[in-house]
Amino acid sequence: MSSLSQAVQTGDVRQLGINPHHWYVVARSHEVTNKPLGVTLWHQAIALYRDSIGKVHALEDRCPHRQVKLSHGQVLGDELECAYHGWRFNSSGECATVPYLAANQKLPNCQIRRYPVKEQDGFIWLFPSDREPSVEPLGLPEWNHLNYIASVAVINCQAHYSYLIENLMDMYHGHLHQDLQAWAEASLQDIDENDHRVDAHYIAQSYYKIDKIWSISQLFFPALRCLHPEPLDVSYIYPHWMSTLGKDFKIYCLFCPINETQTKAYLVHFTSLNAFWRLHKLPIWFRRFVKDSLFNAAKKLLDGLVVQDVQMIEEEQQAYLQNTQRRNYELNRALTSVQHLIKKQAANNCS
């Protein structure tokens, strides 16, 4: 019996792997150039690169000649060249060139794995399964929408991905963030769940209301904030997360689990400008200028939240490693639903 199957049967969420039959985010678009980029998605080393026309490709980050990383090499035309001996591989993972091949020799019949990959909404989405994709990436419709201002923070935590998901679904931990948090006094109202997602519906007191042009300054000056009730919805749409606070804020967390004790994710925050109807009548080029100029306006806030959350998440992981049998006393029903979903998805991978 595999370790994954054992973990599923024993119900130990902290040992479970990912369901590979989904799209994961492995990089931001601007990170991938004609210089190879090495990334890792659940123990799989992958080399990302752009070809001569800018299309993104993803290959197993391993030269079959001497097993070194192809991401140490370079892109020549449409081929990825190994830094060690100059062997080149095309976008299908086939060996295309060996620079010292003798006249009486054939190209080696070796092939490395190619991964389906998509560039969408400012990110690189990768499908790690060996099956043909039957689902689409989650997507961020607000990314290119002129009425939304985006900010992006990167999360790197030395912990299993389940700890991060539980942190994101648990709106009672606002106590940790104090003045950095956009809401207070969260109260769980209802939970909807199926085999693919968990939706937790809270009511909270929001510090912000973006209804006048000057009200954006609340993001930077706490004294201007006034509490008012807003619906706060958080969703684990396996394998990613999404949240909405009233009509003004939407946040995504796009996951790239690395291994059992390391997770990378991208936190993407959108501030809505939908309330400013006069702005919508201005020329498109000006609205684009406003959107681009305000990009990452909330990054400092996001980075502060991430630092505080990561500290707690990593302490949870270390406590688990020190005693895997110690019991947690959980009162938030949403987290129980999250663990059930992780187990279902892991079981799908075992079948």
Side-chain angles (χ1 to χ4, degrees):
M1 182 183 297
S2 70
S3 59
L4 174 59
S5 298
Q6 289 177 335
V8 171
Q9 290 191 6
T10 60
D12 191 347
V13 172
R14 313 309 178 190
Q15 296 291 330
L16 293 178
I18 64 171
N19 183 345
H21 313 309
H22 293 271
W23 292 89
Y24 294 82
V25 168
V26 291
R28 291 181 63 184
S29 287
H30 73 82
E31 295 178 288
V32 183
T33 65
N34 61 357
K35 181 178 180 180
L37 174 68
V39 299
T40 302
L41 174 58
W42 202 255
H43 298 283
Q44 300 177 66
I46 300 162
L48 304 173
Y49 68 96
R50 293 186 187 274
D51 63 20
S52 60
I53 61 171
K55 184 179 180 181
V56 177
H57 300 282
L59 295 178
E60 180 182 357
D61 197 1
R62 176 187 66 86
C63 178
H65 176 215
R66 296 289 183 88
Q67 314 306 318
V68 300
K69 288 183 177 295
L70 285 172
S71 57
H72 295 323
Q74 62 179 333
V75 179
L76 295 177
D78 296 333
E79 297 173 351
L80 184 54
E81 181 188 70
C82 179
Y84 201 0
H85 290 83
W87 288 31
R88 298 185 199 170
F89 298 85
N90 62 27
S91 60
S92 296
E94 302 165 336
C95 183
T97 303
V98 174
Y100 51 86
L101 192 71
N104 61 346
Q105 289 180 309
K106 295 182 179 180
L107 283 171
N109 186 24
C110 57
Q111 183 163 353
I112 54 176
R113 184 175 175 185
R114 169 193 169 275
Y115 294 86
V117 67
K118 290 187 177 183
E119 183 172 15
Q120 179 179 309
D121 301 324
F123 292 89
I124 306 301
W125 303 74
L126 186 138
F127 193 79
S129 172
D130 53 6
R131 302 180 189 174
E132 284 296 315
S134 59
V135 296
E136 291 297 321
L138 174 65
L140 284 68
E142 297 85 1
W143 185 263
N144 291 313
H145 199 296
L146 294 177
N147 290 354
Y148 290 88
I149 305 302
S151 297
V152 181
V154 180
I155 302 174
N156 285 295
C157 59
Q158 302 300 311
H160 189 269
Y161 69 89
S162 61
Y163 287 112
L164 178 53
I165 278 293
E166 290 176 14
N167 169 274
L168 292 165
M169 293 294 290
D170 181 13
M171 295 295 99
Y172 294 129
H173 85 276
H175 177 76
L176 170 67
H177 300 305
Q178 302 298 326
D179 289 341
L180 290 176
Q181 191 54 275
W183 40 260
E185 302 177 23
S187 175
L188 181 62
Q189 304 296 299
D190 193 19
I191 299 173
D192 299 313
E193 55 186 304
N194 57 37
D195 290 343
H196 307 285
R197 63 187 291 165
V198 174
D199 298 287
H201 309 288
Y202 294 82
I203 291 293
Q205 295 292 318
S206 175
Y207 288 109
Y208 309 109
K209 189 173 183 63
I210 309 299
D211 57 354
K212 298 178 178 62
I213 193 65
W214 60 264
S215 60
I216 298 178
S217 60
Q218 296 173 89
L219 299 173
F220 313 103
F221 302 104
L224 298 177
R225 303 169 190 167
C226 296
L227 284 173
H228 62 282
E230 290 278 17
L232 173 58
D233 298 320
V234 291
S235 301
Y236 183 24
I237 308 170
Y238 191 93
H240 307 293
W241 175 87
M242 180 178 69
S243 171
T244 58
L245 175 60
K247 298 179 180 180
D248 296 328
F249 302 103
K250 192 163 187 179
I251 309 177
Y252 296 84
C253 192
L254 310 175
F255 276 72
C256 180
I258 295 174
N259 55 44
E260 288 82 358
T261 58
Q262 189 175 1
T263 302
K264 183 174 184 178
Y266 296 87
L267 194 63
V268 190
H269 177 283
F270 292 100
T271 301
S272 170
L273 301 180
N274 284 320
F276 308 130
W277 60 269
R278 288 186 176 86
L279 179 64
H280 308 163
K281 295 185 176 182
L282 296 175
I284 296 296
W285 68 265
F286 181 78
R287 294 172 63 193
R288 171 63 62 183
F289 171 77
V290 171
K291 179 181 176 71
D292 293 344
S293 298
L294 293 176
F295 178 74
N296 267 345
K299 179 172 172 54
K300 185 176 180 180
L301 176 69
L302 290 182
D303 287 341
L305 293 170
V306 167
V307 168
Q308 293 176 343
D309 281 334
V310 167
Q311 180 184 2
M312 296 295 106
I313 292 168
E314 291 183 347
E315 286 189 14
E316 289 185 272
Q317 176 70 62
Q318 289 305 309
Y320 167 79
L321 293 175
Q322 290 167 11
N323 187 343
T324 60
Q325 302 304 313
R326 185 179 288 134
R327 175 188 172 190
N328 284 359
Y329 293 86
E330 184 53 62
L331 300 178
N332 189 337
R333 295 181 293 123
L335 273 60
T336 302
S337 297
V338 163
Q339 292 193 0
H340 288 163
L341 177 54
I342 291 174
K343 292 174 186 177
K344 288 177 183 177
Q345 290 291 334
N348 289 339
N349 187 30
C350 292
S351 60

